[in-house]
Amino acid sequence: PQVFAREAEQLILTEKVCTIFGCSSSSSRKACRPVVEQRDHLLIYPLPYEGLEDSPNIFYLGSTANQQIIPAVKWCHEQLGAKRYFLVGTESVRSRVVHEIIKDQLNSLDDVVVGEAFLTHGNTNVADTIEQIRNAKPDLILNNLNGDTNIPFFRELRDAGITSDKTPTLSFRLAESELVTMNHADVGG
């Protein structure tokens, strides 16, 4: 995040840009916020975000929890009859905040979180998390993993016998770039 802030400042002061398009995470956006606000410049942030921040110098283009997460959890409760949830996410500001929003919503629905795990970005060692999921026996897995960690996560879920017909997984950050490299059987259903 500090590199993003330093580079944003250089773009503004040295390159004389008035608008920056970018940041790759909520933490990098938060680091750039004071830079663009102090200089009264503009940051266009294209990614989904937690929705608990407002700045006149940032255009937030991605979906917020009330646009994506809350309706999806409500649908899972109503349509799938899910009552027991396992939350898995990338160790990040966004995942942590979104998990708290999900917990509040599940509490209001009288549903429960039976487990929660955070994995570092790019982590391929997911065996402990898969074991936690197996032991927790959730009705549904809410996946907030970002990036390549999805690949071993889904492969090992299926290898452990945790399949979509028994325990569906709803993914909020699974992108086309990961899907094209995954075995279709791992994400089917």
Side-chain angles (χ1 to χ4, degrees):
Q2 294 76 21
V3 172
F4 279 86
R6 188 172 52 248
E7 293 297 321
E9 191 162 37
Q10 181 177 338
L11 286 169
I12 292 168
L13 297 176
T14 306
E15 303 297 328
K16 306 294 186 208
V17 303
C18 60
T19 304
I20 299 170
F21 293 80
C23 291
S24 64
S25 66
S26 291
S27 58
S28 61
R29 182 196 74 243
K30 286 179 175 295
C32 288
R33 180 180 174 175
V35 173
V36 296
E37 287 179 345
Q38 289 168 1
R39 308 263 189 265
D40 198 26
H41 279 63
L42 187 62
L43 170 63
I44 308 295
Y45 182 70
L47 300 174
Y49 83 112
E50 54 283 354
L52 301 175
E53 177 182 282
D54 185 30
S55 171
N57 298 84
I58 302 176
F59 275 93
Y60 305 88
L61 300 181
S63 63
T64 58
N66 67 318
Q67 295 170 319
Q68 180 189 40
I69 308 291
I70 291 173
V73 170
K74 181 180 178 190
W75 184 87
C76 292
H77 172 83
E78 292 174 354
Q79 301 300 315
L80 301 178
K83 298 282 187 191
R84 299 169 44 84
Y85 296 79
F86 193 99
L87 310 179
V88 61
T90 300
E91 180 59 65
S92 67
V93 169
R94 183 180 186 277
S95 286
R96 289 213 175 257
V97 172
V98 164
H99 282 198
E100 292 305 313
I101 292 168
I102 291 170
K103 289 175 191 176
D104 283 347
Q105 183 184 14
L106 293 177
N107 186 49
S108 73
L109 296 169
D110 290 326
D111 293 349
V112 295
V113 174
V114 296
E116 180 177 30
F118 293 98
L119 299 168
T120 55
H121 188 73
N123 188 347
T124 59
N125 184 7
V126 298
D128 289 344
T129 301
I130 302 302
E131 188 61 26
Q132 289 174 31
I133 293 169
R134 183 196 316 249
N135 292 335
K137 297 179 176 54
D139 298 329
L140 186 83
I141 301 163
L142 293 176
N143 174 20
N144 206 24
L145 291 171
N146 188 23
D148 289 347
T149 304
N150 278 293
I151 298 167
F153 176 73
F154 275 96
R155 183 181 55 245
E156 292 193 32
L157 267 180
R158 301 311 177 230
D159 289 349
I162 302 170
T163 58
S164 62
D165 59 329
K166 298 173 190 167
T167 309
T169 302
L170 177 62
S171 298
F172 296 109
R173 301 287 306 268
L174 187 57
E176 293 171 2
S177 57
E178 291 90 37
L179 282 172
V180 298
T181 64
M182 297 171 77
N183 181 337
H184 294 150
D186 291 343
V187 291

